[in-house]
Structures are given as structure tokens and as C-alpha cells.
Amino acid sequence: MSALLEVRDLKVHFPVGGGLFGKPAGVVHAVDGVSLTLARNEILAVVGESGCGKSTLARAVLGLTAPTAGDVLLDGESVLGLSDVALRRYRRAVQMVFQDPFESLNPRKTVFATLAQPLRIHGIVPMADLRTEAARLLEAVGLAPGAPYLDRYPHQFSGGQRQRICIARSIAVRPRVIVADEAVSALDISIRAQILALMKTLQGEMGLSYVFITHDLGVVRSLCDRVCVMYLGQIVEEGPTERIFAQPRHPYTAALVEACPLPDPRRARAKAAPPLSGDIPSPLKPPPGCRFHTRCPVARPVCATEPPPERRFAGGQVARCHFAEEAATWPFGRLGAAAA
Ligand SMILES: Nc1ncnc2c1ncn2[C@@H]1O[C@H](COP(=O)(O)OP(=O)(O)O)[C@@H](O)[C@H]1O
Ligand code: SF4
Ligand SMILES: [Mg+2]
């Protein structure tokens, strides 16, 4: 069965100015050869530290940033260079929820105006039914009864309620995929859990698939089926969530897992690990060989010169590390002995 959404060897490079005679001084390799697939009804996490290229990848998937190379496919068909009509259909099928629910809502628009716009543009319901449909959407995201909320403005809502409104806007056009970029990162922990539960419920009710972008592995564990780990514009490991947590095969994933709170505090980690040191290197000049070698606690000389190939493991786990087979011997990175 073909994937619902597929990203093939996608690159997004940004020339940056400041060179002599107006020439670019360099090129930011924000996304540098990413391939991934999203199946129907799947929740796929894309994780990694700030600056690793997650938002750029999301924007390229949504057609908001033009890729330098590569392809994005929906139902096996390329979405690059689509006609206006086909692009509109794609934009309806693939919606986005952003991190900051305040910034992504127009403060001068009522909730009704915000929800009515996509309903009108895509002709989802007859004009006479716009208010009823907008109220129904609010109820679907837990703001019930919906009608009294319709004439309020964003500032009259809490952060959690605003994110519910953003989610209502994204599901208004009955999409198939939602790309959520740090959608719960700005929310308090208790509210975060509620929004995650809402997104999970909507997934079941509407048959949605998600690309769930986050720097927080705790969120991944509670929500996502599969994980792609990004480092400096590339995917360094991917696989089913439980496998990634039980035995990460890339030291970077292991470091992220190590930093993640244990699900059961009575369980002990295998051993304490050194936290990930140093900053992510500049994407203007990614390190040669393995891009992680400047920070890797188990790097060897080959890592500085040879880019690691993909190593494949049971259950569809894939890691780009020369020594992925040795992961079980690393003195860090598993969520407790019982997890292995
Ligand atoms: N329009 C742009 N021009 C130049 N550099 C950019 C642009 N957008 C993003 N970047 C750079 O690309 C890298 C990846 O950014 P981003 O995709 O926002 O990462 P993340 O979402 O993982 O934090 C960063 O180094 C960022 O500064
Ligand atoms: S290839 Fe080498 S530097 Fe890269 S993650 Fe593996 S051990 Fe570390
Ligand atoms: Mg981002």
C-alpha cells in the first residue's frame, strides 16, 4: 500500500547574503535530504533540537517554502508544480497547526470570522449554514456549547482554548493530514495533556493522520506511532515509538531519550549518561562525515570523515550511525532496564 504522504530526498537551502558584490556569503542547509512516509491514520513524530530544520520541513511539505530539491507526494502524486486548482485541493487535504495559538489567530477577527473563512473558501457548507457549522466545530474541539463563543475575540480565551480554536480551524475543511508544529509546546503541562487527548480523539473520529513536530520526547511517547529524529537537516533515526524508546540505535536519539522523564518513576535507568554537550553546529557549514561527530560521546576517527550509511533493524527501525549495531553496549540512552 502506498503512503498517504511521502517526502522524497527533500532539500531546502537558504542562500544568505553578506558576501562580496551581493553574492551569497553561504548557504543554510536547513533541510538536507529528508525522506519520510506517513501512512493513513498514523501519527508520525518529527523530533530534534531547536534549529535542526523541523519547521522548514513542515513549511516545505505545506508548500509555504519552495524546496531546493526533492519531492512531496500525496497519494503517490507529486504536489510540486501543481495547477492552482490542484494546489487548492492539496491545501485543503493538508492543514497546519502552529505553536503559538495567539499569533496564529487574527486578534481583530471574531471566532466566527476565523472559522467561516476556510468554510467559505472551500465551499464546505452552504452560506446559510456557516454559523451552525462553526458552532459544531467548536463543540468538536471541546468548546461546548459552541454558539456563545462565536462572537468573541482571541484575547477573550485562554491559551488552551485558543489552541482548540486553531484546531477547529484546521479541521474545518475536513483535511486528511494535519502537520502540527510544536502545537502544544507553549501550553501548561495540564492543558498540554488535554490538547493531546483532543488531537487523538479527532484522529479516531475523522480518520486523520498527523505529522507531529516537537522537541519534547515525552509528547512523542504519549501520542505517536512512529518517530523520525532530525539532526542538522537530516533524519538520523526512525522507527516505531516503542522500539526507539526501548533501544535507540543512534547516540543522538539515545541522548534525547535519556533527557526524557521516565514514564514510571519507580523504574531506574540502565545507567546515568552524560547529557548532550555543546550546541548544534551551524547549518551554514555542517561537519563532514557524520554530522553528529562533534558532539557524539562514542565517536571514533572514521566518524569525522565517512558519512554513515543507513543501518536497518527489526521492526522498520533505521539508524544512520556507523556503530548502530553496538547500541546495546552504550552506557546510556534506554528508558530503564525493563524497557529493553
Ligand atoms: N528563511 C530562512 N533564511 C535563512 N535561514 C533560515 C530560514 N528559515 C530557517 N532558517 C535556518 O534554518 C535552520 C532550521 O530552522 P528551523 O526549520 O526553524 O528549525 P527548527 O524548527 O527545528 O527549530 C536554522 O538554522 C534557521 O536559522
Ligand atoms: S557515526 Fe560515529 S559520530 Fe556519528 S553517531 Fe555514530 S558513533 Fe557517533
Ligand atoms: Mg521550529
Side-chain angles (χ1 to χ4, degrees), residues 10-22:
L10 196 77
K11 295 184 182 167
V12 184
H13 294 172
F14 298 111
V16 285
L20 284 177
F21 310 114

Side-chain angles (χ1 to χ4, degrees), residues 7 10 20 26 63 71 82 104 116 150 156 166 168 176 185 191 213 220 222 225 243 252 258 276 279 301 312 320:
V7 172
L10 196 77
L20 284 177
D71 208 350
L82 286 178
S104 56
L150 286 175
Q156 294 173 289
C166 292
R176 300 170 68 196
S185 304
I191 308 292
I213 294 172
V220 173
S222 64
D225 305 307
R243 283 193 182 264
Y252 180 60
E258 187 72 33
L276 198 55
D279 291 331
R312 298 185 173 272
R320 275 186 174 183

